[in-house]
Amino acid sequence: MEILKAIKQLAGIVTNDQDGVLQLMIADASAAVRDYCNRKECPPELAYVVREIVLDHYRLENGDSIASVKRGDTQIQYQNTITKEQFTPRQRDAMCRYRLVRMM
């Protein structure tokens, strides 16, 4: 199942209004996973971790973390960016076996 579709289903989102924001969050989460794992591509086996990270942030962002909203042409800015420092211990454990050693 496509990540965006799965996230929308898990979050109970039925419209396409949030698709742009969710796509950005998916890209940020995938980049953070790649960075943590020292990889050029996000391993497909970690798609569930990307979904979990995006859902966690989506739920957090729908609280009080919105910095600004622009109605004309729809622009939403969030205060928190998805980074590897925000991973939970369970998410880190799931990614450990896919982590590559970085050689200097």
Side-chain angles (χ1 to χ4, degrees):
M1 179 182 284
E2 180 188 335
I3 291 179
L4 176 62
K5 186 176 178 181
I7 290 169
K8 288 174 69 172
Q9 186 174 7
L10 290 168
I13 301 169
V14 294
T15 66
N16 296 332
D17 296 344
Q18 298 288 328
D19 285 8
V21 172
L22 290 173
Q23 288 286 17
L24 289 172
M25 293 174 97
I26 291 167
D28 287 349
S30 296
V33 168
R34 287 192 314 268
D35 186 36
Y36 182 81
C37 292
N38 300 315
R39 292 179 170 264
K40 293 183 188 240
E41 298 293 326
C42 186
E45 297 86 1
L46 294 177
Y48 76 97
V49 175
V50 172
R51 280 193 311 265
E52 183 179 303
I53 293 166
V54 171
L55 279 170
D56 289 348
H57 274 74
Y58 178 79
R59 290 176 179 138
L60 174 70
E61 297 298 345
N62 283 314
D64 297 328
S65 299
I66 296 177
S68 68
V69 176
K70 178 182 175 185
R71 304 244 183 232
D73 291 331
T74 313
Q75 176 184 353
I76 300 173
Q77 291 184 347
Y78 293 104
Q79 292 178 1
N80 297 321
T81 303
I82 297 172
T83 62
K84 65 183 181 180
E85 287 78 23
Q86 297 165 335
F87 294 153
T88 65
R90 193 176 75 71
Q91 291 164 345
R92 288 180 191 276
D93 289 345
M95 291 184 281
C96 275
R97 81 173 114 175
Y98 298 98
R99 199 167 192 197
L100 298 176
V101 176
R102 184 178 292 176
M103 302 301 278
M104 297 280 184

